[in-house]
Every structure is written in C-alpha cells, then in structure tokens.
Amino acid sequence: MIGTIDIEAIRTDYPVSSVVGGVTKLQRAGREWKACCPIHADRTPSFTIYSGDQRWHCFGCGEGGDVLDFVQKLHHVGLREAADMLTGSNLPVVAMPKIEKPSEPERDTIREAVEIWRSSGPIGGTPAEQYLRGRGISIRLPDCLRFARLPFGRRRYLPALVALVAGPDDQPCGIQRIFLTDDGKKANLPDGKVKFSLGRIRGGAIRLAPGAVSGMILSGSVEDGLSLMEIEGRAVWAAPGEEMLSGMFLPEPVRSVVIGADADDAGMRFAVKARDKFASEGRMVRVIIPANGAKDFNQELQEMAL
C-alpha cells in the first residue's frame, strides 16, 4: 500500500495491454502482445507483453516491468503519480481481449526446467563436451550449455547436454536436453529421439552468442548453430527445433537476419516460414543452405576438416 492506494489492485485492474494499447497499436503473438516500443524510437516491434498481461519488456531500450513501471517510464513520473494517473482516469485505456496466464502445470514445467538448469554443471570434460567435439566443433562452448545426468524413464539416469532457453524477457523459460552415452554419442532411445524440451520454449532461443547485434544468424539446432559460428565467425541463436524458428522473438537492434536451413524439404519449409515472419517485421532476411551437398551445417563443418 502507498497511502490509500492499493498497488496490487491497480496491477490487477489495469492489464498492461489496456494501457499500452491506448498509446500504440498492439499485435497478438500467441499468449503475448507485441508492439513498437512507445518509450523509445522503435522501428520494429521490440516491445513484448507477457506473463498473463502483467509484465512487459522492450528488447530495444532494455526497459521492463509492470503497468506502473510503464506509466512511470512513459510519463517520467514517480510511483505515486503513476498510480494516481491510472486510478484517476487520466490515461487512455482500451479494452483488449484477455490472454490467460500460463496454467499451473505450465508454470511447474518452467520451474522444473530452471531447477534442472541450476543443478547442472559445467560442460568441460563431460560426455556433452565430448559429443560436440566429436562433431567437429572446436570453438569455445558458450555458458548456455551445461551437463547433467538426468532421469529417463523410471529407473535409469543418462548423461545429457542441457541447453538453456531464454525468453523474450531475457529470463530462463525452459531447457533442451540431448541425451547421450557415457562416451559422448547420442543415446540409443526409442524412435531414435534424443532431444526433449521442457518449459515454455516458444518465442525463446538458445543464445549461443551472449548478446544481440545488428546482424544475426539463426539456426534450428545447437549443433548447427555452433557449426555456423565456427564457419561464419558470427553471432548465432538457436531455436530448440527447426519448427520453432518462426516463433523466435528478436530484439529491435537486429536488423539483418540470416537463417541457416537444413538442406531438406522440412528444413526449407521451416526456414521460409521464419523468413516471411521476420521480413514482415521490416528486417532484411535471407536463407542459406549448407555447401557441397551437405545435409546440414554440422556435416559441412565436419567435411571441411577432411
């Protein structure tokens, strides 16, 4: 409480979208809203409203918070003044369709993913590093990759590469696990599937490079992303699966995007879908495929070493 004003009630009564929508056009993006940031000169949608319409974050200027923080930043006022402006009907407010908060099971998967990540250890000297080195990757491995022994099924634990997925607000929103053998090979699992995601990963990215730059390469896997970093010497973010490429949120400073596609029908289909989405945001986008008939960029990297 501040004086006679109930701050929690204000946050409940005024969803972020209702206030932001009064000053700029919002676009629905799954369970989020996107917009050009009204706080700074924004050319593409870098402003995201998430967490059940209770939080916002701008990739362009780095600001974020709740509805009161938005009013404070936009109008350069303090907390009490922002509360008075909201409750005194001194701001344009619009009714927006309700976006439900993540369900309790969904929040539980995010919590579980973060707990696994925090309990994982450094990747150096583990089967996870051995797996990547065995695929011809020699660059320094980023801190978003770790190692753990994780349960698979009821009775056994397997070595796993654990990749952190960061959400639009820069916070952990999930992980991808790649199950391995003790000698750094892919685990022999039913149906051959070794990659499993956990958490709320849509919109997120495995940030193999530490920060957004004006030009960026996107990839559909950790292995291809690291290979592209080695081949091209540029920043790469990886989606936790090719089908997730088009859902990735990119910061406003990223004006040029290169999408590294697998050289098969599915890879090209997902890459074209992502290309069209990012181009619609006003970015320069092109799709590249591996050279010399390689099926993916990791195969190209390995063949370069022969």
PDB file of all heavy atoms in Angstrom, residues 53-69:
ATOM      1  N   ASP A  53      -0.429 -10.831 -19.228  1.00  0.00           N
ATOM      2  CA  ASP A  53      -0.729  -9.402 -19.357  1.00  0.00           C
ATOM      3  C   ASP A  53      -0.319  -8.605 -18.126  1.00  0.00           C
ATOM      4  O   ASP A  53      -0.821  -7.504 -17.893  1.00  0.00           O
ATOM      5  CB  ASP A  53      -2.219  -9.176 -19.645  1.00  0.00           C
ATOM      6  CG  ASP A  53      -2.474  -8.013 -20.592  1.00  0.00           C
ATOM      7  OD1 ASP A  53      -1.528  -7.265 -20.878  1.00  0.00           O
ATOM      8  OD2 ASP A  53      -3.624  -7.851 -21.035  1.00  0.00           O
ATOM      9  N   GLN A  54       0.627  -9.136 -17.354  1.00  0.00           N
ATOM     10  CA  GLN A  54       1.059  -8.451 -16.136  1.00  0.00           C
ATOM     11  C   GLN A  54       2.464  -7.854 -16.237  1.00  0.00           C
ATOM     12  O   GLN A  54       2.835  -7.023 -15.415  1.00  0.00           O
ATOM     13  CB  GLN A  54       1.020  -9.426 -14.953  1.00  0.00           C
ATOM     14  CG  GLN A  54      -0.363  -9.933 -14.613  1.00  0.00           C
ATOM     15  CD  GLN A  54      -1.285  -8.818 -14.166  1.00  0.00           C
ATOM     16  OE1 GLN A  54      -0.997  -8.101 -13.216  1.00  0.00           O
ATOM     17  NE2 GLN A  54      -2.395  -8.645 -14.877  1.00  0.00           N
ATOM     18  N   ARG A  55       3.234  -8.266 -17.236  1.00  0.00           N
ATOM     19  CA  ARG A  55       4.616  -7.800 -17.352  1.00  0.00           C
ATOM     20  C   ARG A  55       4.897  -7.376 -18.786  1.00  0.00           C
ATOM     21  O   ARG A  55       4.252  -7.841 -19.731  1.00  0.00           O
ATOM     22  CB  ARG A  55       5.605  -8.914 -16.960  1.00  0.00           C
ATOM     23  CG  ARG A  55       5.394  -9.509 -15.584  1.00  0.00           C
ATOM     24  CD  ARG A  55       5.798  -8.581 -14.481  1.00  0.00           C
ATOM     25  NE  ARG A  55       7.227  -8.257 -14.504  1.00  0.00           N
ATOM     26  CZ  ARG A  55       7.787  -7.410 -13.655  1.00  0.00           C
ATOM     27  NH1 ARG A  55       7.062  -6.797 -12.720  1.00  0.00           N
ATOM     28  NH2 ARG A  55       9.075  -7.154 -13.728  1.00  0.00           N
ATOM     29  N   TRP A  56       5.904  -6.504 -18.956  1.00  0.00           N
ATOM     30  CA  TRP A  56       6.341  -6.080 -20.282  1.00  0.00           C
ATOM     31  C   TRP A  56       7.854  -5.974 -20.310  1.00  0.00           C
ATOM     32  O   TRP A  56       8.504  -5.805 -19.281  1.00  0.00           O
ATOM     33  CB  TRP A  56       5.698  -4.742 -20.665  1.00  0.00           C
ATOM     34  CG  TRP A  56       6.058  -3.594 -19.743  1.00  0.00           C
ATOM     35  CD1 TRP A  56       5.452  -3.277 -18.560  1.00  0.00           C
ATOM     36  CD2 TRP A  56       7.118  -2.647 -19.912  1.00  0.00           C
ATOM     37  NE1 TRP A  56       6.061  -2.188 -17.988  1.00  0.00           N
ATOM     38  CE2 TRP A  56       7.086  -1.760 -18.802  1.00  0.00           C
ATOM     39  CE3 TRP A  56       8.081  -2.431 -20.906  1.00  0.00           C
ATOM     40  CZ2 TRP A  56       7.985  -0.717 -18.648  1.00  0.00           C
ATOM     41  CZ3 TRP A  56       8.982  -1.385 -20.756  1.00  0.00           C
ATOM     42  CH2 TRP A  56       8.927  -0.545 -19.639  1.00  0.00           C
ATOM     43  N   HIS A  57       8.398  -6.071 -21.517  1.00  0.00           N
ATOM     44  CA  HIS A  57       9.845  -5.930 -21.693  1.00  0.00           C
ATOM     45  C   HIS A  57      10.106  -5.418 -23.099  1.00  0.00           C
ATOM     46  O   HIS A  57       9.442  -5.837 -24.052  1.00  0.00           O
ATOM     47  CB  HIS A  57      10.560  -7.269 -21.506  1.00  0.00           C
ATOM     48  CG  HIS A  57      12.042  -7.198 -21.730  1.00  0.00           C
ATOM     49  ND1 HIS A  57      12.906  -6.742 -20.763  1.00  0.00           N
ATOM     50  CD2 HIS A  57      12.798  -7.500 -22.802  1.00  0.00           C
ATOM     51  CE1 HIS A  57      14.142  -6.770 -21.236  1.00  0.00           C
ATOM     52  NE2 HIS A  57      14.104  -7.225 -22.477  1.00  0.00           N
ATOM     53  N   CYS A  58      11.062  -4.503 -23.240  1.00  0.00           N
ATOM     54  CA  CYS A  58      11.456  -4.000 -24.550  1.00  0.00           C
ATOM     55  C   CYS A  58      12.884  -4.429 -24.840  1.00  0.00           C
ATOM     56  O   CYS A  58      13.808  -4.120 -24.079  1.00  0.00           O
ATOM     57  CB  CYS A  58      11.343  -2.477 -24.625  1.00  0.00           C
ATOM     58  SG  CYS A  58      11.909  -1.832 -26.225  1.00  0.00           S
ATOM     59  N   PHE A  59      13.065  -5.151 -25.953  1.00  0.00           N
ATOM     60  CA  PHE A  59      14.398  -5.566 -26.362  1.00  0.00           C
ATOM     61  C   PHE A  59      15.243  -4.378 -26.826  1.00  0.00           C
ATOM     62  O   PHE A  59      16.461  -4.417 -26.767  1.00  0.00           O
ATOM     63  CB  PHE A  59      14.301  -6.568 -27.522  1.00  0.00           C
ATOM     64  CG  PHE A  59      13.928  -7.942 -27.096  1.00  0.00           C
ATOM     65  CD1 PHE A  59      12.730  -8.501 -27.512  1.00  0.00           C
ATOM     66  CD2 PHE A  59      14.762  -8.689 -26.296  1.00  0.00           C
ATOM     67  CE1 PHE A  59      12.388  -9.785 -27.136  1.00  0.00           C
ATOM     68  CE2 PHE A  59      14.429  -9.970 -25.916  1.00  0.00           C
ATOM     69  CZ  PHE A  59      13.236 -10.519 -26.338  1.00  0.00           C
ATOM     70  N   GLY A  60      14.572  -3.334 -27.335  1.00  0.00           N
ATOM     71  CA  GLY A  60      15.309  -2.209 -27.892  1.00  0.00           C
ATOM     72  C   GLY A  60      15.966  -1.329 -26.850  1.00  0.00           C
ATOM     73  O   GLY A  60      17.171  -1.052 -26.909  1.00  0.00           O
ATOM     74  N   CYS A  61      15.186  -0.872 -25.859  1.00  0.00           N
ATOM     75  CA  CYS A  61      15.740   0.035 -24.844  1.00  0.00           C
ATOM     76  C   CYS A  61      16.083  -0.677 -23.535  1.00  0.00           C
ATOM     77  O   CYS A  61      16.706  -0.084 -22.659  1.00  0.00           O
ATOM     78  CB  CYS A  61      14.769   1.183 -24.573  1.00  0.00           C
ATOM     79  SG  CYS A  61      13.152   0.680 -23.906  1.00  0.00           S
ATOM     80  N   GLY A  62      15.655  -1.941 -23.417  1.00  0.00           N
ATOM     81  CA  GLY A  62      16.002  -2.726 -22.237  1.00  0.00           C
ATOM     82  C   GLY A  62      15.113  -2.503 -21.034  1.00  0.00           C
ATOM     83  O   GLY A  62      15.336  -3.109 -19.981  1.00  0.00           O
ATOM     84  N   GLU A  63      14.101  -1.643 -21.162  1.00  0.00           N
ATOM     85  CA  GLU A  63      13.217  -1.375 -20.033  1.00  0.00           C
ATOM     86  C   GLU A  63      12.189  -2.495 -19.890  1.00  0.00           C
ATOM     87  O   GLU A  63      11.920  -3.253 -20.818  1.00  0.00           O
ATOM     88  CB  GLU A  63      12.497  -0.039 -20.220  1.00  0.00           C
ATOM     89  CG  GLU A  63      13.421   1.165 -20.299  1.00  0.00           C
ATOM     90  CD  GLU A  63      14.075   1.510 -18.975  1.00  0.00           C
ATOM     91  OE1 GLU A  63      13.749   0.863 -17.954  1.00  0.00           O
ATOM     92  OE2 GLU A  63      14.910   2.424 -18.951  1.00  0.00           O
ATOM     93  N   GLY A  64      11.581  -2.574 -18.700  1.00  0.00           N
ATOM     94  CA  GLY A  64      10.557  -3.580 -18.465  1.00  0.00           C
ATOM     95  C   GLY A  64       9.955  -3.419 -17.085  1.00  0.00           C
ATOM     96  O   GLY A  64      10.408  -2.606 -16.278  1.00  0.00           O
ATOM     97  N   GLY A  65       8.910  -4.196 -16.823  1.00  0.00           N
ATOM     98  CA  GLY A  65       8.279  -4.150 -15.517  1.00  0.00           C
ATOM     99  C   GLY A  65       6.795  -4.426 -15.599  1.00  0.00           C
ATOM    100  O   GLY A  65       6.333  -5.165 -16.467  1.00  0.00           O
ATOM    101  N   ASP A  66       6.010  -3.804 -14.677  1.00  0.00           N
ATOM    102  CA  ASP A  66       4.563  -3.990 -14.668  1.00  0.00           C
ATOM    103  C   ASP A  66       3.884  -2.729 -15.206  1.00  0.00           C
ATOM    104  O   ASP A  66       4.549  -1.837 -15.758  1.00  0.00           O
ATOM    105  CB  ASP A  66       4.072  -4.343 -13.261  1.00  0.00           C
ATOM    106  CG  ASP A  66       4.365  -3.243 -12.237  1.00  0.00           C
ATOM    107  OD1 ASP A  66       4.696  -2.100 -12.642  1.00  0.00           O
ATOM    108  OD2 ASP A  66       4.254  -3.511 -11.029  1.00  0.00           O
ATOM    109  N   VAL A  67       2.564  -2.622 -15.044  1.00  0.00           N
ATOM    110  CA  VAL A  67       1.827  -1.497 -15.615  1.00  0.00           C
ATOM    111  C   VAL A  67       2.250  -0.168 -14.988  1.00  0.00           C
ATOM    112  O   VAL A  67       2.322   0.870 -15.665  1.00  0.00           O
ATOM    113  CB  VAL A  67       0.303  -1.722 -15.487  1.00  0.00           C
ATOM    114  CG1 VAL A  67      -0.138  -1.711 -14.021  1.00  0.00           C
ATOM    115  CG2 VAL A  67      -0.473  -0.702 -16.308  1.00  0.00           C
ATOM    116  N   LEU A  68       2.553  -0.174 -13.701  1.00  0.00           N
ATOM    117  CA  LEU A  68       3.001   1.048 -13.041  1.00  0.00           C
ATOM    118  C   LEU A  68       4.370   1.483 -13.536  1.00  0.00           C
ATOM    119  O   LEU A  68       4.625   2.681 -13.723  1.00  0.00           O
ATOM    120  CB  LEU A  68       3.002   0.845 -11.534  1.00  0.00           C
ATOM    121  CG  LEU A  68       1.611   0.774 -10.894  1.00  0.00           C
ATOM    122  CD1 LEU A  68       1.682   0.088  -9.541  1.00  0.00           C
ATOM    123  CD2 LEU A  68       1.000   2.153 -10.766  1.00  0.00           C
ATOM    124  N   ASP A  69       5.237   0.515 -13.767  1.00  0.00           N
ATOM    125  CA  ASP A  69       6.556   0.847 -14.319  1.00  0.00           C
ATOM    126  C   ASP A  69       6.406   1.474 -15.704  1.00  0.00           C
ATOM    127  O   ASP A  69       7.136   2.409 -16.056  1.00  0.00           O
ATOM    128  CB  ASP A  69       7.429  -0.409 -14.418  1.00  0.00           C
ATOM    129  CG  ASP A  69       7.780  -0.982 -13.061  1.00  0.00           C
ATOM    130  OD1 ASP A  69       8.199  -0.209 -12.197  1.00  0.00           O
ATOM    131  OD2 ASP A  69       7.629  -2.197 -12.875  1.00  0.00           O
TER     132      ASP A  69
END
